Each structure stands twice: as C-alpha cells, then as structure tokens.
Amino acid sequence: MSSNIQTYRYDFRSDTLTKPTPAMLEAMINAQVGDDVYKEDPTIIQLEAYAAKLTGKEAAVFCASSTMSNQIAVRSHIITPPCSVICDDRAHIHRYEAGGMALFSQATTYSIHPKNKVYITAEEIKSNIIPYGDEHFPPTRLIEIENTLGGSIMPLEEMKKIYELAQSKDIPVHLDGARLWNVCAATQTDMKLWTSQVDSVNLCLSKGIGAPVGAILAGSSKFIERARLFRKMMGGGWRQAGVLAAAALVAIETIWPRMADDHRRAKELSEGLLKLGIPTIIPTDTNMVMADTSKVGLDVKKLSEECLKHGVKIRDSAPNMIRFVLHHQIEDEAIQIVLDSAKKTLNSQ
C-alpha cells in the first residue's frame, strides 16, 4: 500500500510538527500509569501538580489538546448561557476551534480588531463590554486573551490593565497561553508573573516544547473540578494517559530551556527576509515570523517549490503572507536555505 505521507528535513509550517525525542519515547515506555478517570494515574497526577505550581494556580487538569482545554475553560466559566465572550479577532477560540463555543457554551464572540495591529487593549475591551439588562445583546461573561498571538507578546502591563478592568466588572479572564512557554523564555520571567493576571490558563504541550500530545488547563480548585466534568463530557476521560504525561514532563524539562534558540533563529530569519525587502506584519518577539510578501511580489508557491528542492516545507496557502514557525527541530541550516531560496525566487521572477 502506498502512502501519501511525505517527510522533510525541516518543516516551518507549525511547531506542532515536532517528533518526540528519544528521551520522551523512553519516558513513555517506562511511565507509571493508572486510570486517570479514577485519578489514579501517578504520572498525570505529577504533571498536573507541577503545572499548578508553575502557574501559581490551585489545580490543573491534563487535556487532549489546546482546543479541548480552551473549550472546557469557556464552558466552565460560563455558568448561565446565553452570553458573549470578548476576544481578539485572530483568537484561536474565535477562528480555529470549529465553532465549539457556540455548540458547547451557547456563547457568541465579540471580536476586536486591535488598533495597534498586535494585541487588544483594556481600553478596547472596556468599550465592547455588554452589561446585563438589554435583551437585544448577550451579556459579556468572559474575556479571553492570547499570549503569544502570531508570535508577538502582549505586554504584561496591558494584561494587568485588562485584569483590573475585568475584576471591576466581575468578569473572569481566560488566557490561551498555548505558547506562554515562549513568552517566559523570551522575557526570562517566571510564568506566575503572567498567569497571576488571569483566572485560568491553557498551556499547550504539543507546540513549542514538543510533546506529542496534550495541553494543561489551570485555575482555582473549584474551576478545575467543574472543568473535569466537561472534560469527561467531551470524551476526555482518557484512562492510562500517563504515557503522554511522561513525554510532557520530559519536554518541559529538556526543550523549554532551549527555546531561546528558536527565538534567535526566528529573528535571524526575520532580519534576513527584511534585507530582501520582505517585512513582517507584526513584531517577531518569539518563534514566529509573519512575512509580508506583497511588498516585493514574491510568488509564495514558487518559493515553496524552491524550498522543497532542499527538503524544507513552508506554508504556501496565502498568496501574500507566509507564517514561518520555528521549533527545536529546525536548525541554523534551515534558515539559510529559506533565505537563499527566497533570493533565488525573487531573481527568477
């Protein structure tokens, strides 16, 4: 039987494309497991306790994915639907989670196009909050923020302003911190500094830190108790999942400390593209380069074909923009291949 699966030396499409390291695989083989639904899997218990400590929250729960984690978070915060959630227009919960919020939480989103084109502000959120009392509009029951978003960091000071506003309105704040690992690595700060400004946080384990599967949802004990109910409802009672938790623990220990290299390479790629006349749409703060190819009329499809000749896969679905995502299995060589390919493509047009 033939396979349609193709392999590449380097893949810039996403940091979800990493393969488990030998250390992760070894940990999975040797993992101590039990039944997680009965709260008897020791490796999951270890991971959840560690995540709660990292985030400074009372409790945490291991989920199958960031989408599941985010959807559980929204549903756990929203006690009495229908209502609305304020978020960035580019937010994952708004655009990339298959409309789950409408189905699971009976909620709609009021999305904001940030004026600074990088992150939403407390001022913008304040003007979009819908109070209870007008039967025409679903009241705001949750504020959701994302950090990073497109690889750019929302400043801590802005998060503080948003949280202060939310607390004054008695509205909880959920952080989609799928790549909060990158924020901490780039700023050399303690994770609790960021998570102290939200009521709940999602941490992806299968993106930048390279674990094969999973995400963490952290919050208060009461919140996580409710979250476990919805996790079970959504099919997340996954029994002997300690084999996956074991890989995640190794990823946090071994890959997170190396994340600065991803950011360095992203900066080098961003600067190299700029020299070719290709700027970025938003700042390259961490591991993503959002390149605007329209300035030089670069043919993205042709660039993709040129990169493939050298074993490099890039996104080519948008005609005027490329999202390059760096991770620990992309090396310095790959950056030069992309830059050389872009130069050759431009010269041939």
Side-chain angles (χ1 to χ4, degrees), residues 194-209:
W194 304 84
T195 54
S196 63
Q197 304 307 313
V198 295
D199 296 288
S200 62
V201 57
N202 161 60
L203 300 173
C204 191
L205 299 165
S206 63
K207 291 189 173 74
I209 62 169

Side-chain angles (χ1 to χ4, degrees), residues 171-200:
I171 299 172
V173 178
H174 173 64
L175 170 62
D176 183 354
R179 294 183 175 90
L180 191 61
W181 312 100
N182 295 87
V183 174
C184 298
T187 57
Q188 297 185 338
T189 53
D190 190 303
M191 185 175 285
K192 290 190 286 291
L193 193 67
W194 304 84
T195 54
S196 63
Q197 304 307 313
V198 295
D199 296 288
S200 62

Side-chain angles (χ1 to χ4, degrees), residues 306-326:
E306 183 61 33
C307 287
L308 279 174
K309 294 177 184 177
H310 305 282
V312 173
K313 181 72 174 176
I314 66 170
R315 278 196 178 195
D316 59 6
S317 54
N320 297 312
M321 195 275 285
I322 309 173
R323 187 188 80 159
F324 296 94
V325 188
L326 283 290

Side-chain angles (χ1 to χ4, degrees), residues 32 82 106 143 196 202 258 286 298-299 303 326 348:
Q32 298 297 309
Q106 299 178 50
I143 295 169
S196 63
N202 161 60
R258 297 165 49 189
T286 55
L298 177 66
D299 190 318
L303 172 59
L326 283 290
S348 68

Side-chain angles (χ1 to χ4, degrees), residues 74-334:
V74 174
R75 187 64 188 89
S76 299
H77 280 302
I78 293 174
I79 308 298
T80 53
C83 56
S84 59
V85 177
I86 291 177
C87 63
D88 191 297
D89 185 66
R90 302 159 296 167
H92 202 274
I93 64 164
H94 176 59
R95 289 186 175 269
Y96 304 110
E97 297 187 3
M101 197 185 309
L103 177 65
F104 296 122
S105 301
Q106 299 178 50
T108 188
T109 51
Y110 279 85
S111 60
I112 297 171
H113 294 271
K115 293 178 182 177
N116 60 31
K117 299 182 180 180
V118 183
Y119 55 85
I120 58 176
T121 65
E123 181 182 358
E124 290 169 328
I125 291 172
K126 184 177 182 179
S127 62
N128 280 274
I129 290 176
I130 300 171
Y132 285 88
D134 190 329
E135 63 189 42
H136 297 90
F137 305 103
T140 303
R141 189 64 192 89
L142 180 66
I143 295 169
E144 190 267 2
I145 55 179
E146 197 165 323
N147 207 0
T148 67
L149 205 165
S152 292
I153 297 174
M154 173 183 281
L156 181 62
E157 287 306 311
E158 196 62 49
M159 286 184 63
K160 289 180 178 179
K161 291 178 184 177
I162 292 171
Y163 198 40
E164 288 173 3
L165 169 66
Q167 289 181 310
S168 72
K169 302 291 185 180
D170 196 25
I171 299 172
V173 178
H174 173 64
L175 170 62
D176 183 354
R179 294 183 175 90
L180 191 61
W181 312 100
N182 295 87
V183 174
C184 298
T187 57
Q188 297 185 338
T189 53
D190 190 303
M191 185 175 285
K192 290 190 286 291
L193 193 67
W194 304 84
T195 54
S196 63
Q197 304 307 313
V198 295
D199 296 288
S200 62
V201 57
N202 161 60
L203 300 173
C204 191
L205 299 165
S206 63
K207 291 189 173 74
I209 62 169
V213 176
I216 283 287
L217 177 62
S220 69
S221 296
K222 184 177 180 180
F223 172 81
I224 293 301
E225 181 181 355
R226 185 171 169 82
R228 287 184 181 277
L229 169 68
F230 291 115
R231 185 185 69 154
K232 177 66 174 175
M233 186 186 299
M234 295 180 191
W238 49 352
R239 308 303 177 178
Q240 291 78 30
V243 290
L244 300 173
L249 285 164
V250 172
I252 296 170
E253 180 183 353
T254 63
I255 305 302
W256 193 17
R258 297 165 49 189
M259 204 166 263
D261 287 332
D262 303 337
H263 303 163
R264 172 183 59 81
R265 292 185 179 108
K267 188 68 72 174
E268 289 173 2
L269 177 57
S270 177
E271 292 172 353
L273 289 171
L274 185 59
K275 290 178 181 178
L276 297 174
I278 304 170
T280 55
I281 297 171
I282 55 178
T284 303
D285 292 334
T286 55
N287 68 320
M288 290 189 191
V289 179
M290 309 291 281
D292 180 1
T293 61
S294 65
K295 305 293 182 181
V296 292
L298 177 66
D299 190 318
V300 176
K301 293 288 185 182
K302 287 184 179 179
L303 172 59
S304 177
E305 292 168 3
E306 183 61 33
C307 287
L308 279 174
K309 294 177 184 177
H310 305 282
V312 173
K313 181 72 174 176
I314 66 170
R315 278 196 178 195
D316 59 6
S317 54
N320 297 312
M321 195 275 285
I322 309 173
R323 187 188 80 159
F324 296 94
V325 188
L326 283 290
H327 50 76
H328 71 98
Q329 290 174 341
I330 287 181
E331 300 174 2
D332 292 339
E333 176 192 29

